Amino acid sequence: MDQIMNSILHWSIVISLVIVSISILLLLYRTIKGPTNPDRAIALDSIGISLIALAALVAIKLNTTFFNEVILLIGILAFIGTIAVAKFIEKGVIIEHDRDKS
Amino acid sequence: MRTNDLILKTTTNIIVFIILAFSFKLFLAGHNMPGGGFIGGLMTSGAIILMYLTYGIGPINKVFRVPFTILVAIGLSIAVATGIGSFIFGQPFLSHTDGYFYLPILGKSHLATAVLFDVGVYLTVIGVTMTIILSIAEDR
C-alpha cells in the first residue's frame, strides 16, 4: 500500500513538472515573440509564478521543507520586479522625485 | 499630471508589513534554518524599495530620517565591536559564545553572540543596497 502511494506521488510530481515546464516554454515563446513590452512583462511575471510551482514540486520530490523560504522569496521578488517594470513602461521613471506635492 | 495610484498604494501599505515580517523571520532563523543577515537585509531593503516605488523619494525621506550611509557605518562598527569584545574575556578575536537563558515570555531560549555579528551584516546590507539604488535614482 505504501509503495503504491509512493508511486502515485512520484508519477504525479513528474507529470506536473512536465506540464509546468511546457507552460514555461510557451511563456518563453510569448516573451521572445511578444509584439509589445507589456506582453513581455506579463509573460515574465507568469514565468516567476511557474518557478514557484517548480520549486514547490521539487521540494516535495526531495522531501525537504527548506525551499519554503525560496517560494516566498520568488513571489515577493516577482511582485516588486513587475511593479518596477510597470512604472517604467507607464511613467518612464521607476523612482520619482516628487518635486510637486503629492 | 499625476496619475491616481490608489490600488498600488493600498496594496503596498499591506504588503510592506508582510515583507518586513518575513525578512525579520529570515534574519532570526539564520542559525538553524535557511536565512541569515544577508538575505534578511536584502528583503528589508526590498520592502523599502517597494515604498520608494509607490510614494517617490520625497515622502519616504520624511519617514526614514537616518541616512543610509550612516547605517553602513553603524553596521560595520557593530561587527567590529563583537570581534573586539572577545578580547575583554581573554579570548581570541571573533570568538563567539552561546548559552541557554530563561526569558520572561519566550521561556528557555538559546542565545548566541553570533546574532550581534549578524545584526552588523544586516544593517550593512540594508545601507549598501539602498545607497546604490537611491544614488542611481537621484541622477540630477
Side-chain angles (χ1 to χ4, degrees):
Chain A
M1 191 61 193
D2 205 12
Q3 202 173 4
I4 296 173
M5 294 304 286
N6 273 335
S7 173
I8 290 174
L9 185 63
H10 171 75
W11 284 107
S12 55
I13 287 172
V14 167
I15 292 170
S16 309
L17 279 175
V18 170
I19 291 173
V20 173
S21 306
I22 290 171
S23 84
I24 285 181
L25 281 179
L26 294 176
L27 286 167
L28 265 181
Y29 170 75
R30 178 51 64 198
T31 308
I32 296 169
K33 188 70 185 303
T36 60
N37 280 331
D39 287 333
R40 296 188 175 98
I42 291 174
L44 283 175
D45 192 32
S46 306
I47 284 176
I49 305 300
S50 303
L51 278 179
I52 294 176
L54 274 185
L57 287 170
V58 171
I60 296 172
K61 183 59 188 156
L62 294 180
N63 198 5
T64 177
T65 59
F66 287 153
F67 283 174
N68 296 344
E69 280 86 4
V70 178
I71 292 168
L72 276 168
L73 220 79
I74 296 173
I76 292 169
L77 289 183
F79 178 70
I80 294 176
T82 309
I83 283 181
V85 171
K87 282 205 72 172
F88 180 71
I89 288 174
E90 182 169 355
K91 295 186 179 178
V93 293
I94 294 180
I95 298 180
E96 306 167 329
H97 283 269
D98 264 349
R99 289 289 169 83
D100 49 350
K101 279 182 281 187
S102 67
Chain B
M1 167 189 161
R2 294 191 58 82
T3 53
N4 193 1
D5 295 336
L6 181 63
I7 294 175
L8 179 60
K9 284 178 180 174
T10 311
T11 312
T12 301
N13 290 341
I14 299 169
I15 282 181
V16 158
F17 288 104
I18 300 174
I19 300 178
L20 283 176
F22 176 58
S23 73
F24 197 62
K25 184 258 174 193
L26 274 179
F27 170 69
L28 286 182
H31 197 62
N32 41 17
M33 288 274 289
F38 186 75
I39 188 66
L42 278 183
M43 288 319 291
T44 306
S45 53
I48 299 172
I49 287 167
L50 186 59
M51 282 190 279
Y52 271 109
L53 280 178
T54 306
Y55 289 104
I57 288 181
I60 301 298
N61 275 342
K62 290 176 190 166
V63 177
F64 292 108
R65 305 306 286 263
V66 179
F68 291 106
T69 49
I70 304 293
L71 272 187
V72 182
I74 293 174
L76 288 177
S77 304
I78 290 173
V80 171
T82 57
I84 292 177
S86 60
F87 285 147
I88 301 174
F89 303 100
Q91 296 293 322
F93 187 60
L94 280 177
S95 296
H96 287 289
T97 181
D98 56 344
Y100 288 91
F101 297 96
Y102 286 94
L103 296 181
I105 296 173
L106 299 173
K108 187 180 179 185
S109 305
H110 180 213
L111 297 182
T113 56
V115 180
L116 295 175
F117 188 79
D118 233 7
V119 169
V121 176
Y122 183 76
L123 293 178
T124 309
V125 168
I126 293 175
V128 168
T129 313
M130 295 312 296
T131 305
I132 289 172
I133 290 176
L134 288 184
S135 57
I136 289 174
E138 287 170 339
D139 51 354
R140 293 203 176 175

